[in-house]
Amino acid sequence: MAQVTLNVQGMSCNHCVNAVEKAVRGAGGQAKVDLPNGKVEVEFDEGKVQLGAIKEAIEDQGYDVV
Amino acid sequence: MAQVTLNVQGMSCNHCVNAVEKAVRGAGGQAKVDLPNGKVEVEFDEGKVQLGAIKEAIEDQGYDVV
């Protein structure tokens, strides 16, 4: 399993936390959001999921991965 | 129909807009949220719905009606 911490801009409330976590699950990973610091810790199986797909899933929800 | 504009604190994103509008509908009214200004314009039938119930529905979502 790979663990990567992403900086994500635009998350403002618990609805956003849920949206990001759900998006990452949909892309095949797991996410833990640190809302005050704008960070998302993602965990995924490198053999099955690409980090790019996870970033894209987050961006599709309207947030910027920086 | 009665129209009242409420000042609501804590709405930060479009998820919040949806949550508030849905809560007001659930209480039997209609709502239009002005996110930048923290205002919620509610419309309801005074004979059927009490303003207090609408305020309560918004507060149940975690926002403050001030």
Side-chain angles (χ1 to χ4, degrees):
Chain A
M1 296 293 271
Q3 273 195 330
V4 177
T5 301
L6 303 173
N7 291 300
V8 178
Q9 289 181 340
M11 301 182 299
S12 59
C13 69
N14 283 326
H15 297 116
C16 297
V17 171
N18 292 339
V20 168
E21 290 182 347
K22 189 176 167 189
V24 174
R25 280 198 303 275
Q30 291 293 325
K32 216 174 99 181
V33 176
D34 174 354
L35 180 61
N37 296 309
K39 294 191 184 298
V40 179
E41 195 180 294
V42 297
E43 192 174 278
F44 57 101
D45 183 338
E46 286 171 294
K48 295 179 183 169
V49 181
Q50 289 198 319
L51 180 58
I54 289 176
K55 288 181 180 178
E56 203 172 318
I58 293 171
E59 289 180 337
D60 283 350
Q61 293 300 310
Y63 305 102
D64 290 323
V65 182
V66 292
Chain B
M1 295 293 271
Q3 273 194 330
V4 178
T5 301
L6 302 172
N7 291 301
V8 178
Q9 290 181 338
M11 303 182 298
S12 58
C13 69
N14 283 326
H15 297 116
C16 297
V17 171
N18 292 339
V20 167
E21 290 181 347
K22 189 176 168 189
V24 174
R25 279 198 302 276
Q30 291 294 324
K32 216 175 96 181
V33 176
D34 174 354
L35 181 59
N37 295 310
K39 294 193 183 298
V40 179
E41 195 179 293
V42 298
E43 192 174 279
F44 57 100
D45 182 339
E46 287 171 293
K48 295 180 183 169
V49 180
Q50 289 198 318
L51 181 58
I54 289 177
K55 289 182 179 177
E56 203 173 317
I58 294 172
E59 290 181 334
D60 283 350
Q61 294 299 312
Y63 305 102
D64 289 324
V65 181
V66 291

